Amino acid sequence: MGLTHDDFIRTTSDATSRAYRRCGRKIRDNGFIYKGTYTGQYLRLRRALHRRYRPGDPCPDCGRPTETVSEENYYFKLSAFQDS
């Protein structure tokens, strides 16, 4: 990538921005970034996700029932970089 350690680099510079975009495209093109759907329990009033609970389980803090929500997100395939 032509990186050196002998220069102060601003994260807002054009060169840095181009490098981030190039790296991001390479990660995406190699399949390490993918679109998927997350589904979990959510309490709208508190804007909190509760991953350990089932639909309708009460919030551990306020007692209100959670609701199931789904949303599309982009994910990074970390498992591709883990040792077996």
Side-chain angles (χ1 to χ4, degrees):
M1 293 179 77
L3 303 175
T4 63
H5 63 279
D6 60 353
D7 188 19
F8 177 78
I9 300 172
R10 296 186 73 61
T11 57
T12 56
S13 73
D14 288 340
T16 303
S17 181
R18 284 191 305 272
Y20 281 131
R21 283 194 304 270
R22 188 171 58 245
C23 185
R25 277 192 301 273
K26 189 171 185 176
I27 291 169
R28 183 197 62 214
D29 293 347
N30 285 317
F32 300 124
I33 299 282
Y34 63 95
K35 196 179 230 182
T37 302
Y38 170 80
T39 301
Q41 297 311 113
Y42 187 70
L43 184 61
R44 289 191 192 279
L45 181 67
R46 299 191 58 172
R47 297 182 187 167
L49 286 171
H50 293 283
R51 295 173 191 211
R52 298 184 311 251
Y53 302 101
R54 294 178 307 224
D57 279 355
C59 170
D61 298 320
C62 69
R64 291 182 176 92
T66 58
E67 61 182 282
T68 303
V69 296
S70 293
E71 64 183 25
E72 266 190 347
N73 287 298
Y74 287 93
Y75 294 93
F76 179 73
K77 193 183 287 187
L78 188 60
S79 61
F81 300 93
Q82 292 176 333
D83 293 333
S84 301

